[in-house]
Amino acid sequence: MQGLPSESTLANQSLWPLGVYALLVLAMLAAVVIISALIGPRHSARRRDLPYESGMPPTGTAALRFPVHFYVVALAFLIFDLEVAFLFAWAVAARDVGWLGYIELVVFIVMLLAGLVYLWAKGALDWGASPANAATPVAEEIDG
Amino acid sequence: MSGTLDVIVRMVLTLALAMASASMLVWVERRLLAAFQDRYGPNRVGPFGLLQLVADSIKLFTKEDWTPPFADRVPFILAPTIIVATGLLSFAVVPFTAAGALVDLNIGVLYFLALSSLSVYSIMLAGMASNSKYSLLGAVRAAGQMISYELAMGLSVASVVALAGSFNLREIVAAQEGLPYVVLQPVAFLIFLIAGLAESKRSPFDLPEAENEIVAGYHTEYSSMKFAFFFLGEYLALVLFSSIATALFLGGGNGPWLPTIVWFAIKMAAIIYVFIWVRATFPRVRYDRLMAFGWKILVPVAILNLLVTGALVVARSAGG
């Protein structure tokens, strides 16, 4: 602890260094991007302006439909991350709110876990086809 | 007036330390991986190959800066700057020295988590703006992975916050004067390290840039300094996660005899060494296992850890 400024000066410290630091960082990055764009050579060649697809001529648009799983995970993340934000509010005040707060925390977390269990049971956390799930429908299709 | 000067010195010092450690890390990692694999690594440019870094920077700086005509220009250029900017800005709250960080934010931990969430935008913008299939696939993978592990990271940090009763990194470090939190929170420490690996997209969680399936993932179409920015951002994230882990779990710069910054650097280097060691040891995991591990193991374990920590914290404060 020695060498630290006293509590009061720290509480009074303003945020302007952060703002100046942010400007400094952005200015530096902008300078690097601009300078490297200026000093780099330029040339063009036949078939150069195509997206890289392992040397093959590109097929179709790159606006692919990506698996809906990513969307489900993003939704689940939004909900859970919001709940984590509430947990932070409890964490910083854990001592002040005592056992009553802790019981509320447990209730909250049980609800959160219920959501997780639901996601889990619905298969939202299973990616791709697990061998057990994949084998049956295909086999049925062949039989039918 | 001396206060202003002091702040400016610390500002430049923070920026220089962050940039220098991130770029040095390229060389450190290559040399260490070489040592793990029983070969030399870069040893030609300068003593021990130390100037390899300079050579690489000059090369990347003078390469053609190609903005593909099929890309969305503005987000394409913004994306790499966002990842470096969020990395550098996070260092403003890292308490490197005895005088604390550049700004002594009350919400230092939240600031760090917020900025690390923002870096997902960089990846997603890069993938969408490139208008290339490999880029999009890499970006979607990266976003899914980063948001999933962010949850576990947030929960593991919450237990440290509950122990320290503060979001301020300096106060969290001060609270570990006698005993670093790694002793009290070994589970949270492990979760934080694993989530840090996944957040910085490092091996074994480097699926977003798995070169044998999707070329280079979200930065496939990038060249020159913009390409370098993604790597700089990745190494900045590595330095950042290890320094935040040092502050949260290893007692920051606390230690006998040596000055604060030296202790901080030693502890940070130890964590970085472990990160590189992990890269040299483990093969890349499969994506379904990665997501299942994050959601089905890390998140529940982190929640349980928080519950146990909370009970102990409340019991101790109620008893005493």
Side-chain angles (χ1 to χ4, degrees):
Chain A
M1 284 294 278
Q2 69 271 41
L4 284 177
S6 70
E7 197 70 38
S8 59
T9 55
L10 281 163
N12 294 334
Q13 194 194 26
S14 55
L15 286 179
W16 69 265
L18 186 60
V20 177
Y21 181 69
L23 286 180
L24 187 70
V25 165
L26 291 181
M28 189 190 79
L29 295 183
V32 170
V33 166
I34 291 170
I35 293 172
S36 92
L38 288 180
I39 63 178
R42 312 206 159 262
H43 69 281
S44 59
R46 199 165 61 95
R47 293 278 170 92
R48 189 151 179 272
D49 293 344
L50 295 173
Y52 181 73
E53 278 181 27
S54 308
M56 303 297 283
T59 51
T61 165
L64 297 172
R65 290 200 232 166
F66 52 81
V68 70
H69 246 104
F70 287 104
Y71 179 70
V72 175
V73 162
L75 275 185
F77 162 74
L78 276 185
I79 296 161
F80 279 88
D81 209 36
L82 200 64
E83 300 191 31
V84 172
F86 286 115
L87 292 183
F88 272 122
W90 167 81
V92 75
R95 285 186 180 77
D96 304 330
V97 291
W99 282 114
L100 186 65
Y102 184 74
I103 291 165
E104 287 181 20
L105 171 84
V106 171
V107 173
F108 187 72
I109 282 184
V110 165
M111 285 196 282
L112 193 150
L113 281 178
L116 189 66
V117 168
Y118 178 77
L119 276 179
W120 197 327
K122 280 278 175 187
L125 307 180
D126 297 316
W127 284 69
S130 68
N133 293 347
T136 9
V138 174
E140 277 167 10
E141 263 171 46
I142 293 169
D143 292 341
Chain B
M1 203 55 222
S2 67
T4 314
L5 194 70
D6 180 50
V7 167
I8 290 171
V9 167
R10 278 203 282 171
M11 207 177 285
V12 175
L13 198 71
T14 309
L15 195 60
L17 272 179
M19 290 294 282
S21 47
S23 14
M24 270 305 291
L25 214 57
V26 181
W27 176 81
V28 169
E29 174 155 43
R30 288 181 65 185
R31 288 293 291 203
L32 271 179
L33 281 179
F36 280 121
Q37 294 163 356
D38 201 16
R39 57 188 173 83
Y40 290 119
N43 63 352
R44 294 282 153 180
V45 195
F48 307 106
L50 262 168
L51 295 179
Q52 182 69 42
L53 165 71
V54 182
D56 284 348
S57 327
I58 293 174
K59 186 194 78 175
L60 281 162
F61 225 114
T62 52
K63 283 281 175 184
E64 177 175 3
D65 188 27
W66 187 59
T67 307
F70 48 85
D72 281 336
R73 251 189 109 74
V74 175
F76 186 85
I77 295 170
L78 270 183
T81 41
I82 291 176
I83 195 167
V84 181
T86 54
L88 285 176
L89 285 177
S90 306
F91 280 97
V93 292
V94 176
F96 282 120
T97 58
L102 176 62
V103 272
D104 192 49
L105 275 186
N106 296 339
I107 48 157
V109 173
L110 291 183
Y111 174 84
F112 153 72
L113 286 173
L115 278 175
S116 88
S117 310
L118 276 181
S119 65
V120 181
Y121 278 101
S122 162
I123 310 300
M124 209 56 215
L125 279 179
M128 306 281 265
S130 291
N131 228 340
S132 163
K133 287 172 192 139
Y134 290 125
S135 304
L136 184 73
L137 288 174
V140 172
R141 274 190 192 185
Q145 165 181 337
M146 286 169 87
I147 60 178
S148 298
Y149 279 79
E150 209 173 286
L151 216 57
M153 174 176 279
L155 286 165
S156 69
V157 171
S159 10
V160 171
V161 171
L163 267 185
S166 169
F167 285 129
N168 187 318
L169 280 167
R170 181 185 50 81
E171 280 171 20
I172 292 176
V173 168
Q176 301 172 63
E177 195 74 50
L179 192 65
Y181 282 160
V182 64
V183 182
L184 301 173
Q185 287 287 335
V187 180
F189 181 60
L190 266 182
I191 294 174
F192 188 89
L193 283 192
I194 295 172
L197 273 177
E199 283 275 296
S200 51
K201 301 174 290 299
R202 284 182 59 81
S203 181
F205 304 122
D206 56 349
L207 288 111
E209 34 203 293
E211 64 281 349
N212 34 22
E213 337 169 26
I214 51 172
V215 191
Y218 53 88
H219 51 64
T220 301
E221 300 290 345
Y222 279 89
S223 59
S224 184
M225 268 327 263
K226 295 205 205 81
F227 173 79
F229 269 12
F230 282 112
F231 282 90
L232 185 58
E234 205 171 293
Y235 282 104
L236 278 173
L238 178 60
V239 179
L240 181 69
F241 285 122
S242 48
S243 57
I244 296 283
T246 303
L248 289 180
F249 296 100
L250 300 185
N254 293 345
W257 307 304
L258 296 170
T260 309
I261 191 159
V262 176
W263 270 113
F264 201 96
I266 290 173
K267 291 170 181 176
M268 213 173 92
I271 295 181
I272 289 176
Y273 181 79
V274 170
F275 275 5
I276 295 173
W277 191 1
V278 164
R279 171 169 172 185
T281 308
F282 291 108
R284 188 177 293 140
V285 296
R286 226 167 60 192
Y287 199 75
D288 58 334
R289 295 203 177 149
L290 167 88
M291 297 302 273
F293 182 69
W295 283 92
K296 294 180 178 173
I297 296 177
L298 281 192
V299 170
V301 169
I303 290 177
L304 277 182
N305 184 52
L306 180 65
L307 277 178
V308 174
T309 309
L312 292 177
V313 166
V314 175
R316 278 196 64 183
S317 76

